[in-house]
C-alpha cells in the first residue's frame, strides 16, 4: 500500500525578502495617499502640478531600508502561517486570501496600538502595506501542481 503524498509549500527567501524590502516604499506611498484622502484641503491642493511630490524621492531609499528591518519578522511569520494553511486548504492559496490575511494582521496591530476608533493616515497606510506585502509574498509561494 502506498503512503499518502505529503503536500509541501515551496518558498524561498524571495517570499520574505522582496515584500520586506518593498514594505517601506509601500508604506510611504500609502501614507501619502491616505493623507490626501483623509485631509485633502489641509495638505496639497491637486491643481495638476505634482512637483511637490518630487521631494519624497530622497526618502524612498531610507523608507526601504527601515521598512525592511521592521517588516522582515511579520512577513516571515505571515508567509509561514499562510503556506501552512494553504497546505491544508486549497481556498487559502488564492492571492486575495493572502491580501486579506495581511490586512487583517496589520489591522490587529493597529487595534493594539489604540488608533482604531478614528482613521488616521498611518493606520490606513499600515493596513494597506500589510495587504500589499502579503499579496506580493504569495507570488513566490508554490504548492505541487496536482494540488493547486
Amino acid at each position: 500500500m502506498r503512503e499518502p503524498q505529503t503536500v509541501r509549500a515551496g518558498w524561498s527567501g524571495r517570499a520574505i525578502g522582496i515584500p520586506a524590502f518593498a514594505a517601506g516604499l509601500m508604506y510611504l506611498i500609502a501614507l501619502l495617499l491616505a493623507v490626501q484622502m483623509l485631509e485633502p484641503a489641509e495638505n496639497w491642493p491637486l491643481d495638476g502640478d505634482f512637483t511637490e511630490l518630487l521631494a519624497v524621492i530622497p526618502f524612498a531609499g531610507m523608507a526601504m531600508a527601515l521598512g525592511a528591518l521592521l517588516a522582515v519578522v511579520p512577513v516571515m511569520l505571515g508567509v509561514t502561517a499562510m503556506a501552512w494553511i494553504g497546505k491544508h486548504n486549497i481556498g487559502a492559496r488564492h492571492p486575495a486570501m493572502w491580501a486579506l490575511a495581511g490586512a487583517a494582521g496589520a489591522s490587529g496591530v493597529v487595534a493594539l496600538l489604540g488608533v482604531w476608533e478614528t482613521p488616521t493616515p498611518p493606520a490606513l497606510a499600515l493596513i494597506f502595506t500589510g495587504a500589499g506585502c502579503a499579496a506580493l509574498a504569495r507570488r513566490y509561494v508554490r504548492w505541487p501542481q496536482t494540488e493547486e
Side-chain angles (χ1 to χ4, degrees):
M1 183 174 209
R2 289 179 63 178
E3 289 186 30
Q5 197 175 28
T6 59
V7 178
R8 291 188 50 136
W11 53 278
S12 64
R14 291 185 300 172
I16 296 169
I18 292 174
F21 274 103
L25 192 56
M26 262 190 244
Y27 183 80
L28 184 64
I29 292 169
L31 185 63
L32 291 172
L33 291 173
V35 165
Q36 187 64 33
M37 181 183 73
L38 291 176
E39 304 157 355
E42 291 88 16
N43 295 295
W44 299 304
L46 294 178
D47 57 358
D49 183 25
F50 295 104
T51 55
E52 295 93 5
L53 291 178
L54 294 177
V56 175
I57 292 175
F59 294 108
M62 291 186 299
M64 289 178 69
L66 183 62
L69 289 175
L70 295 175
V72 70
V73 172
V75 169
M76 187 180 345
L77 292 173
V79 167
T80 304
M82 287 301 290
W84 183 83
I85 292 170
K87 179 174 77 170
H88 299 291
N89 185 351
I90 293 175
R93 298 177 186 179
H94 196 277
M97 293 303 294
W98 280 61
L100 287 172
S107 296
V109 171
V110 167
L112 287 175
L113 293 177
V115 291
W116 190 256
E117 287 78 26
T118 59
T120 60
L124 291 177
L126 185 64
I127 293 169
F128 174 79
T129 303
C133 285
L136 186 59
R138 170 56 183 95
R139 167 78 175 86
Y140 299 102
V141 178
R142 296 282 182 259
W143 290 270
Q145 292 296 331
T146 58
E147 299 291 327
E148 195 165 359

